[in-house]
Amino acid sequence: LQAKQSNTPISYYRAKENTSSTYRLELESSLFKALDNEDFELYYQPQVCVRNGHISGAEALLRWSDAKHGAISPMEFIPILEDTGLIDRVGSWVIEKACAFWKFWQDEGLIQPEQKLSVNVSPYQFRNTGLLVSVKSALEESGLSPNDLILEITESTLLADDENNLAILNSLKSLGVTIALDDFGTGFSSLSYLTRFPIDYLKVDRSFLMNIMDSTNDAHLVTAIINMAQSLEMKVIAEGVDSIEKLNFLKLKGCDNYQGFYFSRPVSGNEFIRLINHISHMEAC
Ligand code: C2E
Ligand code: MG
Ligand code: MG
Ligand code: MG
């Protein structure tokens, strides 16, 4: 099954003021009002089973459109949210909205029980007890099962204040939530963290996938990561799969799931549901 989405990429605002402090201050003050103005939105990128092509879930990705500058990349505004401390409130909003929508779609029969929701969590959200509180209340208020929620953390979460973060991760695990290590291989954490922390999934960063068709070294690295994850009984998700050749490579290597432009870019909630329906309809035929 190959369902390709033909949606046009968003072109993010980029200008020479990008680096100026006025620009940055404008973004900051606009971000302070963004929650109240409802300027944030969640997009969803399907996660797909490498073996059978079924949609195994989706990653919720934050989108922000500023009134003056238009769509700004999360790579640009997430660091500002982190610097200003706004990440706690916005991060809670992301978890709350994502859980509420997923449960709504489940109740409508649009999302199947085996399909899981992934949400990104910044290392900054580990600096206080807010994360645990917001995950608990998002699950309680939505009624979503903790088994349906995967939290994506990054390697820096394992490096900073690791005793505290380990305790929070263990509490999240005991709620029944799944933990994925995002952008694996790009940080500087030691491999021993993989067994010290309760990690269920490894997400291979898309920089490793970029050149696997041309670089045997990168291909060997991805193979080694998949093999290591499997020996540690973790599932592996590859990011940045943008061609059938890369998908076939992952199939050969026994990777579990993938995300990438080959299947679909991140899309709005409505488009995601349309995509899922279209595919299950095709399968039923
Ligand atoms: P991430 O968590 O690693 O998310 C995957 C990113 O890779 C997404 O970028 C997605 O659009 C992109 N991607 C997926 N497949 C492909 C592909 O085949 N080719 C290419 N070129 N790109 C692909 P996006 O949505 O721009 O997000 C960037 C980063 O911003 C995320 O990386 C994540 O670190 C952060 N982010 C996004 N939403 C949130 C959020 O709600 N909370 C936090 N803390 N961080 C977020
Ligand atoms: Mg992620
Ligand atoms: Mg990632
Ligand atoms: Mg990444």
Side-chain angles (χ1 to χ4, degrees):
L1 174 76
Q2 279 134 32
K4 268 210 249 176
Q5 277 280 102
S6 58
N7 36 46
T8 39
I10 303 172
S11 53
Y12 292 114
Y13 174 84
R14 290 215 167 273
K16 66 173 189 294
E17 320 104 89
N18 234 349
T19 47
S20 85
S21 57
T22 326
Y23 171 72
R24 160 91 190 200
L25 284 171
E26 279 178 4
L27 291 193
E28 265 188 32
S29 74
S30 173
L31 277 169
F32 270 96
K33 292 173 274 182
L35 267 184
D36 294 332
N37 288 352
E38 298 180 32
D39 291 338
F40 288 118
E41 189 184 358
L42 290 178
Y43 267 42
Y44 298 83
Q45 187 177 36
Q47 299 181 325
V48 186
C49 173
V50 168
R51 244 175 318 107
N52 63 21
H54 291 172
I55 297 183
S56 53
E59 176 176 12
L61 292 156
L62 188 56
R63 294 291 178 264
W64 176 49
S65 225
D66 169 63
K68 179 169 173 192
H69 299 292
I72 313 277
S73 161
M75 306 293 269
E76 193 170 355
F77 72 78
I78 298 278
I80 305 180
L81 294 176
E82 293 174 335
D83 288 348
T84 53
L86 285 168
I87 192 68
D88 291 313
R89 275 182 62 211
V90 177
S92 295
W93 180 91
V94 169
I95 296 168
E96 188 192 309
K97 287 290 173 218
C99 290
F101 272 103
W102 205 259
K103 179 66 164 87
F104 173 73
W105 291 332
Q106 284 180 337
D107 291 347
E108 297 285 302
L110 300 165
I111 291 282
Q112 303 313 306
E114 64 277 8
Q115 293 173 323
K116 309 294 175 194
L117 165 69
S118 292
V119 175
N120 292 286
V121 176
S122 155
Y124 287 74
Q125 290 172 267
F126 280 81
R127 292 193 301 192
N128 54 50
T129 55
L131 175 63
L132 202 54
V133 173
S134 73
V135 171
K136 267 190 203 159
S137 82
L139 291 170
E140 274 165 23
E141 273 165 39
S142 65
L144 184 77
S145 161
N147 295 321
D148 295 339
L149 180 62
I150 302 172
L151 294 179
E152 297 193 358
I153 63 165
T154 61
E155 285 175 82
S156 38
T157 302
L158 311 181
L159 286 168
D161 196 3
D162 60 345
E163 284 305 327
N164 174 59
N165 293 358
L166 176 59
I168 296 175
L169 283 172
N170 282 328
S171 308
L172 289 167
K173 279 292 294 177
S174 51
L175 292 178
V177 167
T178 300
I179 308 293
L181 186 55
D182 206 352
D183 304 335
F184 178 71
T186 58
F188 296 94
S189 66
S190 104
L191 287 176
S192 67
Y193 282 102
L194 291 180
T195 51
R196 224 185 117 219
F197 286 83
I199 296 160
D200 307 292
Y201 286 25
L202 276 193
K203 292 193 76 174
V204 186
D205 191 67
R206 79 179 138 91
S207 57
F208 293 104
L209 268 290
M210 220 136 67
N211 301 314
I212 48 166
M213 301 330 295
D214 317 309
S215 151
T216 43
N217 282 341
D218 284 0
H220 287 321
L221 266 178
V222 172
T223 307
I225 295 173
I226 293 171
N227 292 340
M228 179 187 65
Q230 287 174 341
S231 342
L232 295 172
E233 295 183 343
M234 294 174 185
K235 282 199 173 184
V236 207
I237 307 182
E239 294 182 335
V241 178
D242 54 13
S243 69
I244 189 153
E245 289 78 19
K246 290 181 187 177
L247 175 57
N248 286 337
F249 172 86
L250 296 171
K251 213 175 264 177
L252 200 66
K253 301 299 177 185
C255 182
D256 298 291
N257 295 330
Y258 76 96
Q259 266 173 260
F261 292 0
Y262 174 67
F263 189 86
S264 172
R265 288 173 177 276
V267 293
S268 70
N270 285 338
E271 284 173 277
F272 174 62
I273 288 305
R274 227 176 292 140
L275 172 69
I276 266 199
N277 271 340
H278 175 68
I279 287 166
S280 48
H281 182 76
M282 279 181 8
E283 280 174 351
C285 293

